[in-house]
Amino acid sequence: MKPILVNFIILLISAMMTLFFLYGSSHAGTWIDEFDDDNLDGWTIVESSGGTSNWQVKDGVLDVTIKNEPRVALSTHILELTAFPIEEERFRVIYTVHPSSPLPTFFGILLGRRFEWNRNLSLLRTCYQFYLRRIDGPIAFPDKSPNIQLEIRQIDVHFDRGHFELFSEGEQIAKFEDNNFQQITVVALIARGDDMFHVVVDSFEISGPGIHPYGVHTKGKVAVAWGGLKRP
């Protein structure tokens, strides 16, 4: 092959890669909540049953307390991310528990979908729950997650069209696939308990090609360019 043609091909590939990177970066974002502005902007309580929950931002952390009603076996409280629409095929979501916080069994990230037949039912029916000590699957579908016991302070979930990977502080903990979830439309924090518990969250972050939080102008919530899934 002639040197001129080789150089042309190299330049063409380089230009295509540059355009791809610029396109991806301009159509991607990161939304970070470090809970440092004394309010819970961008979050909405969408479910609270069987007890009371208090989600309070103070001193740069999210302080969560739940208390059950008498004779209630297990209460459920869900705080959904509503700062912008979520319709994602590929993203990464991370939250970190404060080093001094206790580790309740049922506190974590809820990821899944809303279906028309499930609009007025609990999100537990159609969402995976990544807790600090275990992973639970949706009630309405076969649970594809591994049956494992955890004790972690950071939950870092990578999602790619039905493929879930759980990391914590750079270490891969588990992975599984569920073709019922080619897209995620619900991202939330979930707290469940059979008595009273307390947990403190340091920060929350979601990143992905479809994350467009640029209309959010709240202190502590930052949108930045992001060109692809970051791997530990």
Side-chain angles (χ1 to χ4, degrees):
M1 188 178 293
K2 296 181 178 181
I4 295 177
L5 181 58
V6 171
N7 290 336
F8 174 77
I9 292 173
I10 292 173
L11 288 173
L12 180 61
I13 293 173
S14 177
M16 291 175 65
M17 291 179 65
T18 301
L19 288 172
F20 178 80
F21 175 79
L22 291 174
Y23 179 85
S25 296
S26 64
H27 289 77
T30 295
W31 191 83
I32 302 170
D33 198 340
E34 295 181 333
F35 306 113
D36 57 357
D37 57 350
D38 297 326
N39 59 67
L40 209 53
D41 295 328
W43 299 91
T44 303
I45 296 176
V46 296
E47 191 169 329
S48 188
S49 62
T52 59
S53 62
N54 182 24
W55 306 78
Q56 182 180 6
V57 175
K58 62 178 184 180
D59 301 324
V61 296
L62 173 61
D63 189 279
V64 185
T65 303
I66 73 167
K67 185 176 182 180
N68 268 15
E69 296 172 352
R71 297 180 297 278
V72 171
L74 194 66
S75 63
T76 300
H77 309 273
I78 297 175
L79 184 75
E80 185 177 1
L81 175 61
T82 54
F84 45 89
I86 300 290
E87 294 181 356
E88 303 307 315
E89 296 182 349
R90 185 169 172 255
F91 67 92
R92 177 187 185 186
V93 60
I94 311 170
Y95 89 84
T96 305
V97 171
H98 194 275
S100 64
S101 176
L103 295 178
T105 299
F106 294 106
F107 186 83
I109 292 177
L110 181 143
L111 302 174
R113 295 177 57 190
R114 282 186 174 88
F115 294 85
E116 289 301 323
W117 50 265
N118 192 54
R119 293 291 175 179
N120 298 318
L121 299 175
S122 173
L123 288 172
L124 296 179
R125 296 184 62 82
T126 57
C127 294
Y128 276 95
Q129 305 117 60
F130 294 83
Y131 295 115
L132 296 168
R133 294 184 180 272
R134 57 188 286 176
I135 304 173
D136 284 353
I139 298 171
F141 301 104
D143 184 354
K144 300 296 183 65
S145 65
N147 183 16
I148 57 175
Q149 298 298 312
L150 308 172
E151 189 170 343
I152 55 180
R153 289 191 172 273
Q154 184 190 70
I155 291 181
D156 178 358
V157 180
H158 299 225
F159 174 79
D160 190 347
R161 293 178 292 274
H163 182 72
F164 296 86
E165 292 183 81
L166 172 63
F167 292 83
S168 184
E169 298 178 340
E171 178 184 355
Q172 187 184 68
I173 306 297
K175 62 180 180 179
F176 62 95
E177 292 188 24
D178 190 334
N179 290 328
N180 291 305
F181 297 90
Q182 295 298 303
Q183 185 183 69
I184 296 295
T185 61
V186 176
V187 175
L189 295 176
I190 179 170
R192 305 185 75 202
D194 56 4
D195 195 359
M196 177 176 179
F197 80 68
H198 173 243
V199 66
V200 180
V201 180
D202 254 349
S203 61
F204 177 95
E205 177 180 335
I206 182 169
S207 304
I211 302 300
H212 300 291
Y214 303 108
V216 181
H217 299 291
T218 349
K219 180 183 176 183
K221 283 72 173 176
V222 183
V224 297
W226 189 87
L229 280 180
K230 298 177 285 183
R231 297 288 180 174

